[in-house]
């Protein structure tokens, strides 16, 4: 196993579990639960940063590790958004956009060998997408704690979620155009997957 492999796997599993815990515990009218969810989300983001740093600095990045990290991040985000959809109208629609984007990109990553190289030039758009999505999640978690700013926080949360959804649609259009232009290098028949 690669150096720190078990630690990196445990970080990914922890982020997935945190998404599930936020889904279970988030209740806007329970301040203790809101603080717990906010702390869990902060812990998940910290683990994501540490995980990435360790993988780049001390380990050999692998396609399997890359996919594992990516899927755990998505499950964290989906868990949070599903928790919010129970209390906030329209969040469920955004969950669909986020899931559609992630599933399609994941499918292309598995099927095409050179997709990561093609996507590098769109790195900043992905950073903007992730920042809008994560900031929206933090604002949804903060809104019950600052009742005097409730409307402003909810408006900003929805605005960021709409922005992330629009970026998701744009990412899908760009990805589809990129692949249709170059065809992408497919995995040889019978070749193992990304593991």
């Amino acid at each position: 196993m690669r150096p720190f492999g078990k630690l990196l796997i445990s970080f990914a599993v922890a982020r997935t579990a945190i998404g599930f815990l936020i889904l279970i515990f988030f209740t806007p009218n329970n301040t203790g639960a809101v603080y717990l969810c906010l702390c869990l989300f902060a812990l998940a983001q910290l683990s994501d940063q540490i995980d990435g740093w360790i993988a780049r600095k001390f380990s050999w990045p692998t396609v399997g590790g890359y996919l594992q990290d990516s899927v755990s991040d998505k499950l964290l985000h989906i868990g949070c958004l599903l928790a919010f959809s129970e209390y906030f109208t329209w969040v469920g629609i955004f969950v669909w956009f986020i899931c559609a984007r992630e599933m399609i990109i994941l499918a292309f990553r598995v099927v095409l060998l050179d997709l990561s190289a093609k996507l590098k030039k769109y790195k900043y758009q992905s950073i903007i997408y992730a920042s809008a999505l994560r900031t929206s999640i933090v604002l949804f978690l903060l809104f019950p704690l600052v009742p005097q700013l409730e409307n402003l926080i909810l408006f900003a949360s929805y605005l960021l979620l709409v922005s992330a959804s629009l970026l998701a649609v744009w990412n899908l259009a760009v990805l589809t155009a990129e692949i249709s232009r170059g065809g992408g290098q497919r995995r040889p028949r019978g070749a193992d997957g990304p593991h």
Side-chain angles (χ1 to χ4, degrees), residues 24-29 82-89 91 143 158:
I24 299 292
F25 290 116
F26 181 75
T27 310
N29 56 3
L82 286 174
F84 304 148
S85 71
E86 186 175 341
Y87 300 98
F88 305 108
T89 339
V91 173
F143 116 88
Y158 280 117

Side-chain angles (χ1 to χ4, degrees), residues 26 38 45 54 57 61 89-90 106 114 140 145 153 156 176 181 187 192-193:
F26 181 75
L38 197 54
Q45 293 310 301
I54 289 173
K57 183 89 173 162
T89 339
W90 299 102
L106 182 62
D114 61 346
F140 273 115
L145 303 176
I153 291 174
T176 304
R181 255 190 308 236
R187 294 189 189 280
D192 286 343

Side-chain angles (χ1 to χ4, degrees), residues 101-179:
R101 175 194 184 265
E102 301 309 332
M103 287 179 171
I104 291 169
I105 288 176
L106 182 62
F108 281 126
R109 283 179 179 155
V110 170
V111 173
L112 301 174
L113 292 172
D114 61 346
L115 180 64
S116 293
K118 288 183 179 215
L119 292 180
K120 284 197 189 288
K121 64 183 172 183
Y122 302 109
K123 181 178 182 177
Y124 294 112
Q125 287 87 350
S126 291
I127 290 171
I128 292 168
Y129 163 80
S131 298
L133 181 61
R134 290 174 179 172
T135 304
S136 175
I137 290 171
V138 168
L139 288 173
F140 273 115
L141 288 169
L142 283 175
F143 116 88
L145 303 176
V146 191
Q148 57 274 34
L149 298 177
E150 179 179 326
N151 290 333
L152 178 64
I153 291 174
L154 284 177
F155 174 75
S157 300
Y158 280 117
L159 185 64
L160 286 166
L161 207 47
V162 167
S163 301
S165 298
L166 290 174
L167 279 166
V169 170
W170 183 82
N171 285 154
L172 292 175
V174 167
L175 178 64
T176 304
E178 189 72 39
I179 288 176

Side-chain angles (χ1 to χ4, degrees), residues 19-45:
F20 181 72
L21 290 173
I22 290 173
L23 176 59
I24 299 292
F25 290 116
F26 181 75
T27 310
N29 56 3
N30 182 340
T31 306
V34 172
Y35 277 119
L36 173 66
C37 292
L38 197 54
C39 289
L40 286 171
F41 188 75
L43 183 64
Q45 293 310 301

Side-chain angles (χ1 to χ4, degrees), residues 4 51-61:
F4 299 104
D51 175 321
W53 182 77
I54 289 173
R56 286 185 298 275
K57 183 89 173 162
F58 300 107
S59 192
W60 301 290

Side-chain angles (χ1 to χ4, degrees), residues 68-82:
Q68 179 181 16
D69 181 63
S70 180
V71 168
S72 67
D73 287 345
K74 302 330 168 212
L75 289 172
L76 168 68
H77 298 153
I78 291 168
C80 292
L81 292 173
L82 286 174

